[in-house]
Amino acid sequence: MTEAAGRLNGKGMSGAALALHLMKLRTFIALFAVLVFFSLAAPNFLSTANLILMSKHVALNALLAIGMTFVIITGGIDLSVGSIVGLCGMVAGGLILNGIDLGFGYTVFFNVPEIILITLAVGVGIGIINGLLITRLNVAPFIATLGSLYVMRGLALLSSDGATFANLVGRPEYGTTGFATLGAGSILGLPLTIWILIAVALAAAYIAGRTPLGRHIFAVGGNERAAGLSGIRVNRVKMFVYMFSGFCAALVGLIISSQLMASHPATGETFELNAIAAAVLGGTSMSGGRGTIGGTIIGAFVIGILSDGLVMMGVSSFWQTVIKGIVIIAAVVVDQAQRKLQQRVVLRQMAGEG
Amino acid sequence: MNLTEWLERNRWVWSLLGVVVLWAILSVATSRFSLHSLSGVAASASFLVLVALGQMLVVTTGRGNIDLSIASVLTLSAYASIVVTQGLDARLPLAFGAVVLIGLVTGAVNALLVVAVRIPAIIATLATGYILATGTLIANRWAAGFGMSPLLKTLAAGRIGGFPVMLLVALLAVVLVGLLLRRTVYGRAISAVGQNERAAALAGIRTGRVVASAFIASAVMAALTGMLLGAYVGGAFLEMGAPYLLQSLGAVVLGGSLIFGGSSTALGTLFGSLLLVLIVTTMQIVGLPPGTQDIVQGLVVIAVLALAGGQAVRRRRSRASPA
């Protein structure tokens, strides 16, 4: 930042504008940097098989990060996504293995599409609870979702007494087979997971850029009071973002259990950090009002490539958490530097015109 | 001063009432619950009290400040104290120094990120917490096979005439922090910053320093607690700090401190911690399956905040509207 400020004083406006452009493109620059670095440092990094494998890893975090982006744009935060992933995985696993015991000797089994719908509904339902806590009961978002983080993790543990639901192949006579397709299937050579990501990302980008709802999300984050006074139903917008975040988390829970053909109650711990990191790295402002879906996805790729590349180079996976923590902090620092610089450039322009 | 006003000023009364009621119910329901078992609850609550007091200071400074790194600080300090003491009393000062250093450094980093770089506390402390968690994974490899320093063990688990030493430590801390908040310029400054940072700054308070000191205090408290807790349970393990994150927040809000900052009560945090540990103990006595503990704690925190937080917002709005 000091460098940028120095340039501002030395060469005037053009230097500052250039620095501003560089900062706006920082996510691309970061993506380019990690790609070049690892293709040189790690053999086989650029092979098609590896790229597809990495995309599959990245897709999970990217899905969570898309939901998180909307939440952060409204000025909130959703710390419960990791627990929702765990709980939804357990819901899907439990429904496939055990069905729902009605209590008098009957057990209802659902087929896989129904199970997927039920699980997604659970995710959205948790989002509704988060949203109600935040909008109706005025609980601060970080507390409300921290509380539901614990509650949902507890429910996940409770659902199986801490055990894993393993071997989710289902039984043909109940019609519960075929769960593996979600995680392992592929269309036109691309894994289904990536198609899901593409679909969700396009839908989210459409909502953000082309619909009134999208404009309202940004308006609420930019200035909640002004948004409310200009007739936006702030509470409904907030409800939507937490529901959408819950939906994305439920999708991830389903995909992970389908990939592993097992659901473990601890799945998804610390996923919230990855999702926040991707969103922040992609240019979403923690103070709300700014962010893009495209940026978030690139952010998710930077983080995913970073962690997979480090594993390929044989760097201990311990260090990945450290690197992620540092990446988040660095991203926020650059974001704030950008905002200060932008204000200064705008001021100079106004001064120049006046 | 009428009763409602008095209750409004002394919000810790509710948590004390909760402790008394829950204890009475338990004593009647299970005949084995006695004053002695309450002192056992108090001993294990003492650790929570220490962590929660630090968390309370951070919360008091307002702006949604919160310390999410305490869980990792606590665990890492437990490991550090074990690795450094190697079961010898002679090395205890060294371990104390190491643990305080961990607290100081973490607190300073948190403070730097929050105050100087202006990263939201929740993100900054989450990130530093994860970085430290990596440290605990590494420490976990070294710490195998070391014993506990006997002196530290006496301090953490010993009793004087049936009265847990740890409880004395916790009570002392409560009194000190309580006096600090109520009777010193610094304590008033913390509350002032939490109520209105700009007004506090205009009144000549160095708000940055005040907020920074709260983060440092919180981390140091968590670090010392980790050292004592390690001695109490007789070792360190990776998840030992995890419950204290939500519980510390829970104790603070149960005790009647405002989550938006500006008004805190050390006494309330003491009773809040007792109440929370009593609730957890109750669940263990009833023998509820794993996971229920998390659910109940999460629900308690959300419920208290839904009740108190709504009230605080209304109060704030009514205060803000004439201006």
Side-chain angles (χ1 to χ4, degrees), chain B residues 19 33 40 47 50 109 191 226 258:
Chain B
V19 173
F33 217 78
F47 298 99
L50 291 181
V109 171
S191 301
L258 297 184

Side-chain angles (χ1 to χ4, degrees), chain A residues 77 133 137 139 142-143 146-148 150-151 154-155 158 161 270 272-273 276 286 318 321-322 328-329 332-333 336, chain B residues 66 113 117-120 122-123 130 134 137 141 242 245-246 249 259 289-291 294-295 298-299 302 305-306:
Chain A
I77 195 155
L133 285 171
L137 298 173
V139 183
F142 68 94
I143 299 283
L146 188 68
S148 50
Y150 281 88
V151 175
L155 285 175
L158 198 59
D161 280 343
T270 77
E272 61 279 353
L273 182 73
I276 295 169
M286 281 307 299
F318 294 161
T321 3
V322 176
I328 292 188
I329 291 170
V332 179
V333 171
Q336 294 191 333
Chain B
I66 185 175
L113 293 173
V117 193
R118 296 197 84 77
I119 297 180
I122 184 166
I123 302 295
Y130 279 124
T134 309
L137 285 173
R141 294 169 168 175
L245 176 53
L246 188 69
L249 268 178
I259 194 70
D294 286 339
I295 300 175
L299 287 179
I302 293 177
L305 279 166

Side-chain angles (χ1 to χ4, degrees), chain A:
Chain A
M1 206 197 88
T2 45
E3 189 195 353
R7 245 187 279 175
L8 187 74
N9 295 333
K11 290 184 195 166
M13 221 182 67
S14 63
L18 182 70
L20 196 60
H21 273 294
L22 280 179
M23 278 183 176
K24 277 184 180 165
L25 289 174
R26 65 180 180 275
T27 328
F28 278 105
I29 297 170
L31 181 67
F32 190 68
V34 287
L35 274 177
V36 169
F37 176 75
F38 284 117
S39 46
L40 293 177
N44 300 329
F45 179 80
L46 281 178
S47 67
T48 323
N50 184 51
L51 287 181
I52 289 184
L53 187 71
M54 274 198 316
S55 309
K56 268 177 92 167
H57 292 167
V58 171
L60 298 176
N61 184 26
L63 280 171
L64 290 179
I66 290 170
M68 186 69 81
T69 303
F70 277 153
V71 175
I72 295 180
I73 290 176
T74 64
I77 195 155
D78 189 352
L79 295 178
S80 66
V81 287
S83 293
I84 301 179
V85 168
L87 180 61
C88 287
M90 295 310 280
V91 168
L95 285 175
I96 288 172
L97 280 192
N98 306 330
I100 294 179
D101 191 353
L102 293 179
F104 42 86
Y106 288 96
T107 306
V108 179
F109 281 95
F110 299 96
N111 63 29
V112 168
E114 285 167 350
I115 289 174
I116 290 175
L117 285 179
I118 293 171
T119 310
L120 291 176
V122 169
V124 173
I126 300 168
I128 291 178
I129 296 172
N130 282 337
L132 286 176
L133 285 171
I134 291 159
T135 58
R136 303 287 160 198
L137 298 173
N138 282 321
V139 183
F142 68 94
I143 299 283
T145 54
L146 188 68
S148 50
L149 182 160
Y150 281 88
V151 175
M152 301 314 154
R153 182 65 68 201
L155 285 175
L157 283 167
L158 198 59
S159 67
S160 67
D161 280 343
T164 304
F165 289 136
N167 203 13
L168 302 178
V169 279
R171 284 194 245 171
E173 63 264 38
Y174 298 142
T176 53
T177 51
F179 186 53
T181 318
L182 189 63
S186 61
I187 302 172
L188 302 175
L190 268 186
L192 200 55
T193 314
I194 296 175
W195 286 111
I196 294 175
L197 171 65
I198 293 172
V200 172
L202 286 178
Y206 180 77
I207 291 174
R210 306 270 162 161
T211 63
L213 177 64
R215 298 287 92 196
H216 293 172
I217 291 174
F218 282 93
V220 168
N223 187 335
E224 188 174 328
R225 223 172 123 64
L229 289 175
S230 54
I232 293 172
R233 293 172 195 241
V234 173
N235 283 353
R236 282 198 192 179
V237 173
K238 285 191 182 173
M239 287 296 294
F240 169 79
V241 296
Y242 288 100
M243 282 160 67
F244 186 69
S245 176
F247 172 83
C248 291
L251 262 182
V252 173
L254 279 168
I255 294 171
I256 291 180
S257 351
S258 167
Q259 280 175 352
L260 301 174
M261 288 310 271
S263 19
H264 182 65
T267 306
E269 274 174 5
T270 77
F271 276 20
E272 61 279 353
L273 182 73
N274 292 345
I276 295 169
V280 170
L281 198 63
T284 311
S285 162
M286 281 307 299
S287 41
R290 285 194 298 125
T292 59
I293 299 299
T296 295
I297 292 172
I298 297 173
F301 268 91
V302 171
I303 291 176
I305 290 171
L306 203 61
S307 40
D308 278 16
L310 288 174
V311 170
M312 287 180 77
M313 283 177 65
V315 176
S316 145
S317 65
F318 294 161
W319 292 106
Q320 288 178 33
T321 3
V322 176
I323 290 167
K324 267 177 231 154
I326 293 171
V327 162
I328 292 188
I329 291 170
V332 179
V333 171
V334 176
D335 181 64
Q336 294 191 333
Q338 180 196 328
R339 229 175 338 156
K340 273 185 196 164
L341 197 62
Q342 194 155 19
Q343 280 172 354
R344 212 175 297 183
V345 169
V346 169
L347 270 180
R348 290 230 169 185
Q349 274 171 352
M350 282 163 68
E353 282 163 12

Side-chain angles (χ1 to χ4, degrees), chain B residues 97-150:
Chain B
V99 164
V100 169
L101 191 69
I102 290 175
L104 282 178
V105 170
T106 313
V109 171
N110 284 339
L112 184 79
L113 293 173
V114 172
V115 175
V117 193
R118 296 197 84 77
I119 297 180
I122 184 166
I123 302 295
T125 55
L126 196 68
T128 47
Y130 279 124
I131 293 173
L132 287 178
T134 309
T136 61
L137 285 173
I138 295 166
N140 192 26
R141 294 169 168 175
W142 298 341
F146 288 131
M148 273 296 150
S149 138

